[in-house]
Amino acid sequence: MTHRFDPTSLREYDIRGIVGEALGTDDARAIGRGFATLLRRAGGHRVVVGRDGRVSSPELEAALVEGLTASGCDVVRVGLGPTPMLYYAEATLEVDGGIQITGSHNPGNYNGFKMVFQHLPFFGEDIQKLGRIAAEGDWESVEPGDEGTVSDYYILDDYVGRLMAGYAGGAYRVGWDTGNGAAGPVIEKLVKLLPGEHHTLFTEVDGHFPNHHPDPTDEKNLADLKRLVAEKNLDFGLAFDGDGDRLGAIDGQGRVVWGDQLLSVLAEPVLRELPGATIIADVKASQALYDRVAELGGTPLMWKTGHSLIKTKMKETGAPLAGEMSGHIFFAHNYYGFDDAQYAAVRLIQAVHVIGKSLTQIKDEMPAMINTPEMRFQVDESRKFAVIDEVLDRLEAEGADVNRTDGARVNTPDGWWLLRASNTQDVLVARAEAKSQEGLDRLMAMIDAQLAASGLERGPQAAH
């Protein structure tokens, strides 16, 4: 038996695709066989499995479990919940790895698999290896009757209890929007334990996402939450993506507090406790964040975009906190180091309490920067990394001030601009930030000039 995956489904950080086109139950079974094979060869044999609320998740879970047990691994199913609940199970139960079935923030017809292998992120070359093992049919086999066992473990209450452990925040009036994603049942239980007054939206899990798409980085998806905060005059609002590993927030006036701004708020109590600590953010984050971390006595570190890459860098540097523009927030301080929007939400309430100002006032005091959203341009897969190399060569020849951590991030007196290749799609990603609109226009002209010099233009935006 061999199996070939649709090559587009084997991504940098996970396996993902449109169900029935690029992904199906045969793929799930092959992922189970391959993952179990790698785990057994590394001396492990127990895997915890969770799933999000998509319509296709139960059938993919059944096939995945079949594959895992066929290659001799025991499976512990924790059922429906956000991805961080699976990460929590993998960190605290006696298991050797974990797999979450989730399409993350993609539309409802997508699904996929996020994996943890012996407490480390499973990505990049690891995922390619699953593809090769399947193509060769090089799977571990067991005698009939010796297949792995399957058991169920209800972990939701333990997880919610862990989110609340050591909570010392104040009582606030908060709106919560889980967008019919997998975080709903967790948030329903969490708000009963938190002090204050809490109003929830769309906590019923529904894989058709009938109210709005669960991606809090797109401002149009926050309209219902803004309405709730305004109508009830709440202190602030929190929103979650489809699998609960990305957090969005708005202040009491309905203004978005972006991922890098959230990180600057969350960093303050951490740096009071751990002066000088390293705080990591991705290359898309505002200069204002790096300046703020330094001002608070921390060591800011700019790193590559991608949750697996950030987790790896945190372990290497001992950073207690990291975050991405996209709303992934990673706490190693009093937690496990994985991205967990539910935990980040609890820590945000606590941070607002420790700082002693409203989130609205904190947002008011942030430096006013004019920046673009993340812009994406379609580019041929074979060209995407080459274009970045060409841009870097030209900038070097011009003597520009360039940071090469992940693509090209260029500092100028006006501010900065970024051009990088996406690891997960055939797009280039750009962003720019300045202190004035005129400055931003000059930065955008620089991006356009670089694209033009490589035979590209900033045409209509690629789908996000």
Side-chain angles (χ1 to χ4, degrees):
M1 279 285 288
T2 60
H3 178 80
R4 291 202 180 279
F5 291 102
D6 183 311
T8 63
S9 68
L10 302 177
R11 310 276 188 109
E12 179 67 16
Y13 311 120
D14 53 20
I15 296 173
R16 209 185 303 174
I18 294 176
V19 176
E21 289 177 25
L23 201 67
T25 49
D26 289 344
D27 300 292
R29 206 169 289 110
I31 290 163
R33 299 232 31 197
F35 191 85
T37 296
L38 290 172
L39 201 57
R40 285 189 60 203
R41 288 174 186 169
H45 72 101
R46 272 170 73 81
V47 182
V48 61
V49 171
R51 61 180 158 84
D52 74 7
R54 286 162 191 269
V55 179
S56 58
S57 292
E59 63 180 18
L60 292 178
E61 178 188 44
L64 174 74
V65 169
E66 212 176 287
L68 287 165
T69 54
S71 282
C73 272
D74 296 335
V75 175
V76 182
R77 290 186 303 206
V78 291
L80 173 65
T83 296
M85 186 173 95
L86 182 275
Y87 292 158
Y88 168 74
E90 197 276 336
T92 58
L93 301 180
E94 285 188 14
V95 294
D96 308 300
I99 303 178
Q100 173 81 355
I101 293 150
T102 176
S104 192
H105 58 281
N106 282 97
N109 55 341
Y110 280 78
N111 216 325
F113 303 81
K114 290 183 181 176
M115 293 163 278
V116 189
F117 190 89
Q118 295 184 320
H119 309 308
L120 293 170
F122 185 90
F123 69 106
E125 176 51 30
D126 304 319
I127 289 174
Q128 296 307 317
K129 208 180 289 175
L130 281 186
R132 289 196 296 273
I133 288 177
E136 293 161 14
D138 177 25
W139 292 314
E140 291 287 315
S141 297
V142 292
E143 294 298 317
D146 290 341
E147 295 91 356
T149 61
V150 182
S151 58
D152 292 296
Y153 187 91
Y154 181 75
I155 203 166
L156 192 95
D157 289 342
D158 296 354
Y159 172 59
V160 173
R162 180 61 187 85
L163 295 174
M164 284 299 296
Y167 178 76
Y172 292 91
R173 303 178 65 246
V174 186
W176 305 73
D177 180 352
T178 58
N180 301 107
V186 169
I187 296 303
E188 278 295 345
K189 283 181 181 278
L190 184 65
V191 297
K192 290 186 172 70
L193 300 177
L194 283 166
E197 181 189 320
H198 300 276
H199 299 268
T200 58
L201 290 173
F202 316 134
T203 53
E204 186 186 330
V205 179
D206 183 339
H208 296 104
F209 306 122
N211 294 291
H212 62 74
H213 186 57
D215 178 0
T217 57
D218 187 342
E219 194 164 352
K220 71 172 187 292
N221 297 324
L222 299 172
D224 297 297
L225 184 61
K226 289 181 181 184
R227 200 174 303 119
L228 176 72
V229 167
E231 277 170 13
K232 304 231 182 274
N233 194 20
L234 304 179
D235 296 320
F236 49 92
L238 301 167
F240 300 81
D241 74 337
D243 71 328
D245 61 6
R246 300 191 308 152
L247 180 66
I250 58 172
D251 71 1
Q253 292 176 11
R255 295 175 299 183
V256 179
V257 185
W258 297 106
D260 49 1
Q261 296 177 327
L262 285 174
L263 194 59
S264 72
V265 178
L266 292 164
E268 193 162 333
V270 173
L271 289 169
R272 284 189 196 181
E273 208 173 304
L274 303 171
T278 299
I279 308 288
I280 301 175
D282 72 337
V283 290
K284 292 184 276 191
S286 167
Q287 188 55 44
L289 165 70
Y290 296 106
D291 295 346
R292 179 66 178 149
V293 168
E295 193 182 299
L296 292 166
T299 308
L301 176 64
M302 191 184 291
W303 196 239
K304 299 173 183 178
T305 294
H307 69 93
S308 306
L309 302 172
I310 297 242
K311 284 174 199 167
T312 307
K313 194 67 177 174
M314 284 178 84
K315 280 207 163 83
E316 194 185 296
T317 57
L321 174 65
E324 289 188 287
M325 202 55 215
S326 57
H328 285 277
I329 293 167
F330 311 77
F331 270 98
H333 178 251
N334 298 338
Y335 208 58
Y336 308 93
F338 54 73
D339 36 342
D340 184 337
Q342 290 69 220
Y343 185 69
V346 172
R347 290 290 292 256
L348 182 66
I349 298 171
Q350 216 162 310
V352 169
H353 177 68
V354 169
I355 293 167
K357 299 171 181 171
S358 68
L359 188 58
T360 305
Q361 188 184 344
I362 295 169
K363 170 86 176 171
D364 281 339
E365 290 171 3
M366 289 176 182
M369 298 280 193
I370 300 177
N371 47 37
T372 65
E374 197 172 281
M375 298 171 285
R376 290 164 172 254
F377 323 112
Q378 211 78 42
V379 58
D380 193 79
E381 190 70 43
S382 61
R383 280 281 289 149
K384 77 178 181 186
F385 290 109
V387 168
I388 300 297
D389 289 337
E390 291 163 18
V391 170
L392 286 166
D393 289 344
R394 286 192 296 267
L395 291 167
E396 198 160 287
E398 292 164 14
D401 174 4
V402 189
N403 179 310
R404 298 166 157 261
T405 302
D406 184 1
R409 176 162 165 150
V410 183
N411 292 307
T412 82
D414 286 316
W416 59 272
W417 60 268
L418 169 76
L419 195 62
R420 61 179 283 274
S422 165
N423 284 314
T424 52
Q425 291 169 294
D426 53 349
V427 294
L428 292 180
V429 179
R431 193 163 184 248
E433 175 180 78
K435 294 180 180 71
S436 69
Q437 186 58 50
E438 298 73 38
L440 192 65
D441 294 343
R442 284 191 288 271
L443 295 176
M444 290 305 297
M446 288 180 181
I447 294 176
D448 287 341
Q450 288 296 342
L451 288 170
S454 285
L456 297 171
E457 61 175 318
R458 182 164 56 93
Q461 299 292 290
H464 183 32

